[in-house]
Amino acid sequence: QVQLVQSGAEMKKPGSSVKVSCKASGGTFSTYAINWVRQAPGQGLEWMGRIIPNFGSTNYAQRFQGRVTITADESTSTAYMELSSLRSEDTALYYCARGQLIYDSFDPWGQGTLVTVSS
Amino acid sequence: DIQMTQSPSSLSASVGDRVTITCRASQSISRYLNWYQQKPGKAPKLLIYAASSLQSGVPSRFSGSGSGTDFTLTINSLQSEDFATYYCQQSFSTPPYTFGQGTKLEIK
């Protein structure tokens, strides 16, 4: 049973960067996409981007292009999402989720990482 | 990008009711439509993938239908644990994989 465990909550200043990790255990890592989805307080789900570790290929949502970088370390089965030039509107819960091979549904999900951006 | 529109945005129902949530895509997405349930303070949980396939472990009172641009999630005989927010998501072709805005299901 695959499990995704994310790094802990972060408090950041505007203009800085944050890097959130997502470690997979209990299953194959490299051939499945790892997606990143964020949820601002009281809001819906927003897809940010994904990586397929064994290809190293990435896709990003247009609105995050240039600010987000998703990477993966196959040796530790860990994916990372780095968001730069943080602003208060980036305060949100950030989730990683594995994309299934067929139909690309997301399962399982990590527990979420709260990133708070405040001066 | 493909836009996903859910309706209603909120819904009140009673235990034992049958409820239906709809999701419309801005263009045809074949059957690349997934449904998630999210409870407060928890990560989303996959319920239905490929429009109508029930994820392992999900109760059979949940069902999905549709193809092309129009989809529905139906919950038969609502249970107390079903009160949550539901999201549709399209995973057609290449990303971005957009979500609907969510439907909050509340107890009447």
Side-chain angles (χ1 to χ4, degrees):
Chain A
Q1 192 83 335
V2 174
Q3 192 174 12
L4 302 179
V5 178
Q6 298 182 223
S7 50
E10 302 265 11
M11 182 86 73
K12 293 293 182 180
K13 300 281 190 193
S16 66
S17 298
V18 67
K19 192 170 186 176
V20 180
S21 68
C22 171
K23 183 173 176 61
S25 62
T28 305
F29 176 73
S30 296
T31 53
Y32 291 83
I34 295 291
N35 295 269
W36 289 90
V37 175
R38 81 175 187 180
Q39 186 170 38
Q43 302 301 307
L45 303 172
E46 181 175 30
W47 183 84
M48 299 179 68
R50 73 166 186 180
I51 187 166
I52 303 176
N54 69 342
F55 297 126
S57 58
T58 54
N59 301 94
Y60 299 119
Q62 183 73 21
R63 63 171 288 177
F64 297 107
Q65 284 275 4
R67 280 212 304 144
V68 67
T69 304
I70 297 174
T71 57
D73 181 343
E74 292 182 78
S75 69
T76 59
S77 299
T78 303
Y80 300 90
M81 186 283 300
E82 183 169 22
L83 188 63
S84 62
S85 302
L86 290 169
R87 34 211 189 229
S88 58
E89 309 90 88
D90 295 317
T91 294
L93 261 172
Y94 290 78
Y95 293 102
C96 62
R98 190 173 83 161
Q100 298 302 297
L101 292 178
I102 302 176
Y103 286 96
D104 234 338
S105 53
F106 294 177
D107 182 74
W109 294 61
Q111 82 276 19
T113 296
L114 179 62
V115 175
T116 304
V117 183
S118 174
S119 55
Chain B
D1 297 355
I2 298 173
Q3 306 304 314
M4 305 302 293
T5 304
Q6 277 181 245
S7 61
S9 55
S10 64
L11 177 59
S12 294
S14 301
V15 172
D17 284 353
R18 178 176 184 260
V19 300
T20 299
I21 298 169
T22 64
C23 182
R24 175 165 287 175
S26 60
Q27 66 184 71
S28 177
I29 57 171
S30 185
R31 296 179 62 80
Y32 287 81
L33 191 284
N34 310 302
W35 290 97
Y36 301 87
Q37 176 194 65
Q38 187 179 33
K39 295 183 179 179
K42 299 291 188 183
K45 172 188 171 184
L46 177 66
L47 297 176
I48 302 278
Y49 63 94
S52 61
S53 295
L54 197 65
Q55 175 69 353
S56 176
V58 174
S60 59
R61 62 181 180 272
F62 291 92
S63 63
S65 65
S67 66
T69 60
D70 294 308
F71 302 87
T72 60
L73 172 70
T74 299
I75 313 172
N76 286 301
S77 189
L78 266 175
Q79 302 298 300
S80 56
E81 61 265 31
D82 300 336
F83 292 95
T85 300
Y86 294 85
Y87 295 93
C88 63
Q89 179 220 15
Q90 64 83 16
S91 54
F92 181 71
S93 188
T94 53
Y97 292 155
T98 42
F99 291 88
Q101 79 276 22
T103 295
K104 188 174 184 179
L105 177 55
E106 299 175 303
I107 300 175
K108 186 182 288 183

